[in-house]
Amino acid sequence: MRIFGKARHRPSTDWRLATDRAFTLIGDGRYEDAGELLTRAADLEPWRSESWFNLALLHKFRHDWEQARTTGLRAVALLERAAGAPDWWNVGIAATALQDWPLARRAWQAYGLKVPTDAAGGTGTGEPLGMRLGSAAVRLSPEGESEVVWGRRLDPARIAVQSIPLPSSGRRWGEVVLHDGVPHGERTVSGGSRPAAFPVFDEIELWAPSPVPTWVVLLEAATESDREALEHLAAEAGFAAEDWSSSVRLLCRSCSESRMPSDEGDGTAPRHDPHDHSEPGQPGPLGHMTAGGGPDQVWTPERECGLAAPASLVRGLLDGWVADSPDTREWRDLEEVC
């Protein structure tokens, strides 16, 4: 990875060599060694915004948010253009991580985004809520056994998770994750005259944990309507249920990080998923389809379901679901998994 950018004067050979080597080291995970080289580059040409942008980027990779904010502010102070610079986006991420809301607002506005006023109607010093950025997907643990889940964007750097992640991710429904600024893939969802496209962002770190535990339960649901009834019941209670048997699929990494449909097929013909290249013993990254999953060609009553609900509520929720249709519904083997 090389980040040089345009400048009024070409950088010196020593600056370019140090920077080029530093990003090679970053790619190898050698952040300390890369930091020494990028610091040297900044000492060589401190008037160059790229010197400080590169250092801010390194500190972001290291999750050193104080230093990311400091070096990011030095970078934007040297910018030659007013709006749209990625330097401001990195400042916004660092400020969000630190809950420095005045700076986060300033960063998003400088980048060119419209930020609503705060709850008091003033110029805005609080959390930048109400930006109406819609839904997106986020890749949890992008460097490991990654899992793509759906969520609601709170601002340009945070997503509230709305899928129920599998326990292997260590994440829960309702958690807020800090994410990177550049999408790494895309999901398209059919509907209407044109499919809707949603970006896939990479998680940086957990921003706010959820107190709601994740449970796995085996259901006997005679029909899809029975399954959907549990999802609706959980949602009405303010929590969530997700049929993992339908909603989760294994993908190869290249497909996970590309533009791809989230649901495929219209339910009238057998569905072949060209993105699922997993083999027994060699699973790929995980992906959650849209809410409720895709259509099942042959319905199987036994379903593995994820539930996000408090311990005091979860059994009553399942019992109430069965009570509404005892001849077509049953549950067993409830277990808290995250």
Side-chain angles (χ1 to χ4, degrees), residues 99 170-177 205-212:
Q99 300 186 45
R171 294 283 177 263
R172 289 175 166 182
W173 171 86
E175 291 189 325
V176 177
V177 298
E205 66 181 19
L206 177 64
W207 190 87
S210 170
V212 181

Side-chain angles (χ1 to χ4, degrees), residues 88-102:
W88 276 115
W89 200 282
N90 280 341
V91 169
I93 292 175
T96 300
L98 295 168
Q99 300 186 45
D100 182 348
W101 301 127

Side-chain angles (χ1 to χ4, degrees), residues 56-327:
L57 202 60
L58 171 66
H59 293 311
K60 182 184 75 173
F61 295 151
R62 298 175 63 186
H63 303 182
D64 185 344
W65 300 116
E66 292 285 357
Q67 288 298 317
R69 176 173 59 182
T70 298
T71 51
L73 286 171
R74 293 197 68 168
V76 297
L78 296 168
L79 285 175
E80 296 180 3
R81 54 176 169 155
D87 309 65
W88 276 115
W89 200 282
N90 280 341
V91 169
I93 292 175
T96 300
L98 295 168
Q99 300 186 45
D100 182 348
W101 301 127
L103 179 58
R105 286 172 166 273
R106 177 186 165 202
W108 306 135
Q109 289 168 338
Y111 187 81
L113 302 177
K114 185 177 180 180
V115 182
T117 58
D118 58 22
T123 56
T125 57
E127 194 172 346
L129 300 176
M131 294 186 72
R132 298 183 180 178
L133 298 175
S135 298
V138 61
R139 182 175 291 104
L140 306 176
S141 304
E143 301 302 324
E145 215 173 279
S146 61
E147 178 179 353
V148 174
V149 298
W150 289 90
R152 177 174 57 89
R153 299 187 72 187
L154 303 180
D155 58 36
R158 293 180 300 159
I159 289 180
V161 175
Q162 293 181 309
S163 299
I164 302 179
L166 297 177
S168 58
S169 72
R171 294 283 177 263
R172 289 175 166 182
W173 171 86
E175 291 189 325
V176 177
V177 298
L178 190 73
H179 66 80
D180 220 336
V182 179
H184 202 181
E186 192 174 83
R187 298 294 182 268
T188 59
V189 178
S190 58
S193 58
R194 299 179 62 183
F198 298 88
V200 180
F201 297 101
D202 284 346
E203 175 194 31
I204 298 176
E205 66 181 19
L206 177 64
W207 190 87
S210 170
V212 181
T214 303
W215 307 80
V216 63
V217 63
L218 289 180
L219 305 179
E220 287 290 334
T223 67
E224 289 185 75
S225 295
D226 288 308
R227 184 272 313 275
E228 290 167 359
L230 179 59
E231 294 172 343
H232 293 153
L233 199 63
E236 288 174 358
F239 299 100
E242 182 178 337
D243 181 3
W244 284 339
S245 299
S246 293
S247 69
V248 177
R249 56 180 170 176
L250 296 171
L251 309 170
C252 73
R253 184 168 295 277
S254 62
C255 286
S256 176
E257 296 176 355
S258 67
R259 177 188 176 102
M260 54 177 286
S262 179
D263 293 310
E264 298 192 35
D266 58 6
T268 62
R271 181 175 64 181
H272 169 66
D273 186 350
H275 307 287
D276 187 346
H277 306 309
S278 60
E279 298 176 4
Q282 296 180 337
L286 296 164
H288 288 241
M289 302 170 76
T290 49
D296 286 69
Q297 303 306 318
V298 179
W299 180 255
T300 304
E302 184 171 283
R303 320 297 296 177
E304 185 176 58
C305 182
L307 274 169
S312 60
L313 177 67
V314 64
R315 286 175 177 80
L317 194 67
L318 289 164
D319 288 341
W321 171 71
V322 171
D324 287 340
S325 184
D327 293 335

Side-chain angles (χ1 to χ4, degrees), residues 24-87:
T24 298
L25 293 172
I26 288 173
D28 294 336
R30 296 172 57 184
Y31 293 153
E32 292 295 333
D33 295 336
E36 293 178 6
L37 287 170
L38 290 178
T39 299
R40 179 187 172 197
D43 289 340
L44 287 169
E45 302 194 19
W47 56 85
R48 185 177 297 279
S49 64
E50 293 94 326
S51 296
W52 303 105
F53 172 80
N54 292 338
L55 270 171
L57 202 60
L58 171 66
H59 293 311
K60 182 184 75 173
F61 295 151
R62 298 175 63 186
H63 303 182
D64 185 344
W65 300 116
E66 292 285 357
Q67 288 298 317
R69 176 173 59 182
T70 298
T71 51
L73 286 171
R74 293 197 68 168
V76 297
L78 296 168
L79 285 175
E80 296 180 3
R81 54 176 169 155
D87 309 65

